Amino acid sequence: MVLHTSPFPSSFLSFLHSLSWALIFPCFWLGDRLLASFLPTTYEKRQRSDDPCYFQALCIIITTPIYLALLVSSLPFALIGFLVWSPLQAVRRPYIYSRLQDKARASGANLLTEWRGTSSAKSFCFGSANVCLLPDSLARFTNLFNTQARAKEIGRRIRNGASRPQIKIYIDSPTNTSISAASFSSLVSPQGADVTHRAVNMGMKRTTSMEYKGDNSGENSSEEGRDGKNGGDMGDGEDSPCIIRISGDDSGHISDSDPDAMAGHVNVACLADTEPDFQKSPTPNHKHREGDGGSLDSCTTSRESLVKGRVADGTTDQSGINNKLLYRTSIIKKAAARKKKHTDDILDHEISAFFPANLDFLCLQEVFDKRAAEKLKEQLHYYFEYILYDVGVYSCHGCCGFKFLNSGLMIASRYPILDATYHCYPNGRGIDALAAKGALFVKVQVGTTPQDQRIVGYVSCTHLHALSGDATIRCEQLDFLQEWASEFRKSTSSSSAANPEELVAFDVICGDLNFDNCSSEDKLEQQHSLFTHYKDPCRLSPGEEKPWAIGTLLDPEGLYDEEVCTPDNLQKVLENEEGRKEYLVYPTSKNHCPNQKGRKVPLKGSGRRIDYMLYSEEGLNMEWKMEVEEYSFITQLAGLTDHVPVAMRLTVSTGEEES
């Protein structure tokens, strides 16, 4: 199947579409600004708290007539544009495929040669996030604003986190009581490692950060220079092992790096600096202090770790450390005698301040705004070579009812995309029906066997109906999702039992499903047959979560509180039960009482987890084995969205041992 690089089959139709949208856009923008002026966010209210009460009212009185006059004058042009724009949607393609044109930074083809599907294991990392990139006036209903600037910053943070260097530090600690405790952590190189030598450790994995300063100094003079050196290769130099052990018996003394002690190793890549020109920050202005990592005006972070103290004392050899890099450190505490609560809970899990290093696939939801989607795509292309965006249908064509917004789905991949298709859910209701919510299915090539068989994977991204009380609609959409996913695999498969031309390595579904596994109102969705075909790493059974799973929906009222407005601060809050009760949305009952800030006190669980990552072992090569190596809740987008992104690393092994 040919992937569509343009939304229309001819340049003439593209020209007509551009012309019609140019006539519509002034009216759209003025209406958006007019509505936004009446919907201030809590951040804006705090910024204006020192202004006289009449000042804001005076601004509205002056600007409203101006906006109204301009809006009325633009309506005739918008009407003409709409009469041209609407019929064109009948021939519009359902997505735009973008591939990085800079061959110096493209590496997708090189990744295919890294795994031959014979004796080594291969890890694939998936990420998912609801980024709430709506038109500015609509985003303000969730207490977010400045959509265009947020889109650029979201893209920059994601690719910075994915391309960061990562150092694994192990700390022997018999007193670990973190939410991430009582887990087994297994470190396998994401680019392939010997399965038989994997080390398994009990404890909590916690991604924090640390700044090393070497002998060299100087900075690149331009963003292009930074990106070219740091993130440009997208995978080069990823096999540098760096593992440090810290024993609790010797007061935190850092031992020499010992890659043999843990036969797995960590990939190291470069971290690009955070862009300094995000002037209209949606996070409150506050004094910079240690722990404010990942904020809009700084990419450094400090967590008062033992390691940083040792580095400051000069006890660590820094001869090979470059001053231009900020090394991010993953700390793993090993409980000396902690027992697993569940025998199947063998995966490594964490609350991380950063997206995982070497992120392979990214699924995004609510990328509704077209201009924001372009800005986000440009940033993600510094790391991801293949991107599908502007997914969905508009107007009255291709789906039931008029669609004001597209699906909001986006998929970015480091591996070549072979095929893609999109389906719109036909049963949307209420305001949710104004968006073309649906499912995007992608087939990617991740390797080649010595017999020239393609090794492929399937990634699906979806966003379900959001209105509460509509469980039946969501269950119908889950039925559609299963049916479409099965049809996509059948229609794109070039294999047969007698002639297997390709092998399937994974089948993953990511997205915002708008129901959780704790609420009594969501029992119907919790028992859906989807969960018999796809596994949820955070779920024990319908209505019961694993102890370390936390909610992914933040309370919009607290997005700009200083306690949660930076990645490190939000990480600290989510690691604490009281902090989660304060800033996450929880399932509630009829009987509830407000806490000290007026928010509802949750009754059970660790928050509403509505963002899912599911995987299936059905249809895979019979001799291969798949397991979840790592699951992460990510705080790097603090202050930019009302959701907590999630990430999952799957390891596929062939079942053969190297001699």
Side-chain angles (χ1 to χ4, degrees):
M1 180 178 176
V2 178
L3 296 170
H4 308 307
T5 57
S6 170
F8 293 95
S10 71
S11 57
F12 176 71
L13 293 178
S14 296
F15 169 76
L16 285 180
H17 180 266
S18 299
L19 179 62
S20 63
W21 184 246
L23 295 173
I24 296 172
F25 181 75
C27 182
F28 169 80
W29 185 85
L30 289 167
D32 184 51
R33 297 315 309 158
L34 178 62
L35 181 58
S37 63
F38 292 95
L39 297 170
T41 63
T42 55
Y43 170 69
E44 292 171 324
K45 291 178 181 178
R46 292 173 188 174
Q47 292 291 93
R48 301 167 184 168
S49 59
D50 295 333
D51 296 334
C53 297
Y54 62 83
F55 182 77
Q56 180 62 20
L58 183 62
C59 291
I60 294 177
I61 292 174
I62 294 174
T63 57
T64 299
I66 297 175
Y67 279 134
L68 282 174
L70 293 174
L71 181 63
V72 171
S73 63
S74 66
L75 281 175
F77 300 98
L79 179 60
I80 296 172
F82 180 80
L83 293 177
V84 178
W85 174 85
S86 184
L88 288 174
Q89 306 313 305
V91 294
R92 183 187 179 275
R93 292 161 173 169
Y95 61 81
I96 301 177
Y97 169 67
S98 177
R99 181 176 180 180
L100 185 66
Q101 299 300 320
D102 186 356
K103 295 183 179 180
R105 292 194 287 126
S107 64
N110 296 333
L111 291 174
L112 299 181
T113 63
E114 293 182 359
W115 188 43
R116 306 294 289 177
T118 53
S119 59
S120 62
K122 178 74 172 177
S123 286
F124 301 97
C125 189
F126 305 82
S128 179
N130 184 319
V131 291
C132 199
L133 293 177
L134 289 151
D136 196 55
S137 57
L138 300 181
R140 289 170 179 266
F141 285 99
T142 54
N143 202 25
L144 293 164
F145 70 110
N146 209 340
T147 296
Q148 307 305 316
R150 280 195 300 115
K152 192 172 184 179
E153 183 65 14
I154 286 171
R156 177 168 287 276
R157 288 197 190 182
I158 291 174
R159 52 108 166 177
N160 281 355
S163 60
R164 66 186 171 88
Q166 190 178 37
I167 305 170
K168 300 291 185 183
I169 296 181
Y170 290 85
I171 302 177
D172 290 326
S173 173
T175 59
N176 178 23
T177 58
S178 166
I179 186 175
S180 300
S183 71
F184 284 86
S185 61
S186 59
L187 290 180
V188 183
S189 168
Q191 303 304 330
D194 188 349
V195 180
T196 60
H197 293 129
R198 225 175 14 197
V200 178
N201 296 272
M202 282 180 117
M204 179 273 286
K205 180 182 175 187
R206 187 172 189 277
T207 300
T208 177
S209 60
M210 171 175 75
E211 182 176 357
Y212 287 92
K213 294 185 178 180
D215 299 330
N216 300 328
S217 61
E219 297 180 354
N220 294 318
S221 57
S222 66
E223 178 183 343
E224 290 76 7
R226 288 194 304 269
D227 294 328
K229 292 181 181 181
N230 295 347
D233 294 337
M234 296 188 296
D236 293 347
E238 290 181 346
D239 292 329
S240 301
C242 191
I243 296 179
I244 302 174
R245 289 185 176 276
I246 302 177
S247 173
D249 298 333
D250 56 358
S251 302
H253 176 69
I254 300 178
S255 63
D256 296 332
S257 297
D258 184 11
D260 293 331
M262 288 286 299
H265 62 267
V266 198
N267 291 355
V268 179
C270 298
L271 175 67
D273 295 332
T274 301
E275 184 173 3
D277 61 352
F278 187 44
Q279 299 296 337
K280 296 183 180 180
S281 165
T283 56
N285 296 327
H286 58 277
K287 295 180 181 179
H288 179 74
R289 58 183 188 180
E290 292 190 355
D292 290 349
S295 62
L296 304 185
D297 51 5
S298 173
C299 65
T300 60
T301 314
S302 173
R303 298 289 291 168
E304 299 106 14
S305 65
L306 293 172
V307 178
K308 184 168 182 178
R310 288 291 176 175
V311 171
D313 294 338
T315 58
T316 309
D317 182 13
Q318 302 184 44
S319 59
I321 300 173
N322 192 331
N323 184 42
K324 297 178 182 178
L325 299 180
L326 296 172
Y327 286 85
R328 308 298 186 182
T329 308
S330 291
I331 295 182
I332 297 178
K333 293 183 179 180
K334 296 189 300 176
R338 186 176 297 277
K339 296 181 179 180
K340 292 187 299 176
K341 293 183 179 180
H342 305 282
T343 56
D344 62 335
D345 192 12
I346 61 174
L347 64 95
D348 186 15
H349 45 79
E350 66 174 331
I351 299 173
S352 171
F354 307 98
F355 276 85
N358 308 310
L359 183 64
D360 295 309
F361 306 97
L362 177 67
C363 297
L364 299 178
Q365 302 87 47
E366 292 200 12
V367 189
F368 289 118
D369 190 273
K370 282 187 175 183
R371 293 185 297 148
E374 288 286 348
K375 292 179 173 63
L376 180 60
K377 180 204 69 170
E378 290 174 3
Q379 290 298 318
L380 293 179
H381 259 323
Y382 283 105
Y383 182 79
F384 295 100
E385 185 174 348
Y386 312 91
I387 296 177
L388 292 177
Y389 71 106
D390 196 9
V391 179
V393 295
Y394 295 93
S395 189
C396 299
H397 303 283
C399 206
C400 300
F402 182 86
K403 301 301 178 184
F404 176 71
L405 299 170
N406 62 18
S407 71
L409 303 176
M410 175 184 283
I411 289 183
S413 171
R414 296 175 68 202
Y415 290 88
I417 296 176
L418 301 177
D419 208 339
T421 191
Y422 158 80
H423 293 278
C424 177
Y425 292 127
N427 62 340
R429 190 174 69 88
I431 59 173
D432 240 32
L434 294 176
K437 286 188 174 181
L440 176 63
F441 303 93
V442 167
K443 177 182 179 181
V444 295
Q445 183 176 358
V446 296
T448 307
T449 68
Q451 294 77 29
D452 291 330
Q453 292 174 294
R454 289 190 306 191
I455 305 176
V456 301
Y458 291 91
V459 182
S460 306
C461 180
T462 189
H463 190 187
L464 299 190
H465 186 75
L467 301 182
S468 60
D470 288 338
T472 303
I473 293 179
R474 279 186 289 273
C475 285
E476 291 175 355
Q477 292 178 347
L478 291 176
D479 291 336
F480 285 123
L481 180 64
Q482 285 192 95
E483 179 184 349
W484 294 336
S486 177
E487 290 177 355
F488 180 69
R489 286 193 58 168
K490 291 179 181 178
S491 64
T492 59
S493 176
S494 59
S495 300
S496 63
N499 182 29
E501 297 179 3
E502 60 186 24
L503 304 175
V504 179
F506 55 80
D507 183 0
V508 173
I509 294 178
C510 306
D512 180 355
L513 303 189
N514 275 312
F515 66 86
D516 61 66
N517 196 38
C518 295
S519 299
S520 57
E521 297 178 353
D522 296 334
K523 284 186 177 180
L524 195 60
E525 299 98 313
Q526 294 164 10
Q527 298 172 357
H528 195 272
S529 60
L530 175 73
F531 296 101
T532 63
H533 300 284
Y534 288 83
K535 297 181 179 180
D536 181 358
C538 300
R539 164 182 164 128
L540 283 174
S541 61
E544 185 179 5
E545 296 276 79
K546 291 185 178 179
W548 49 265
I550 65 172
T552 59
L553 186 60
L554 295 168
D555 187 343
E557 294 181 13
L559 289 180
Y560 306 112
D561 288 1
E562 188 172 355
E563 293 82 359
V564 296
C565 65
T566 66
D568 259 17
N569 289 355
L570 180 57
Q571 180 190 29
K572 292 177 183 177
V573 165
L574 296 184
E575 289 174 345
N576 178 271
E577 183 177 358
E578 293 302 317
R580 294 193 297 276
K581 289 180 180 179
E582 186 72 21
Y583 289 102
L584 289 180
V585 175
Y586 275 68
T588 57
S589 71
K590 296 180 181 179
N591 300 318
H592 61 268
C593 57
N595 62 10
Q596 66 271 18
K597 289 194 176 183
R599 300 193 182 102
K600 294 179 181 179
V601 175
L603 297 179
K604 69 175 208 175
S606 294
R608 295 199 65 203
R609 184 177 61 89
I610 64 175
D611 298 273
Y612 288 75
M613 305 199 78
L614 313 175
Y615 68 98
S616 174
E617 296 178 342
E618 297 178 6
L620 305 185
N621 188 302
M622 297 295 293
E623 298 179 353
W624 291 3
K625 181 182 179 182
M626 176 192 296
E627 64 179 5
V628 180
E629 176 190 341
E630 181 181 274
Y631 199 96
S632 305
F633 298 91
I634 301 161
T635 64
Q636 194 169 6
L637 301 186
L640 299 176
T641 179
D642 60 341
H643 285 245
V644 177
V646 293
M648 174 178 68
R649 193 180 298 276
L650 288 177
T651 299
V652 181
S653 55
T654 63
E656 300 179 8
E657 296 185 2
E658 291 181 344
S659 57

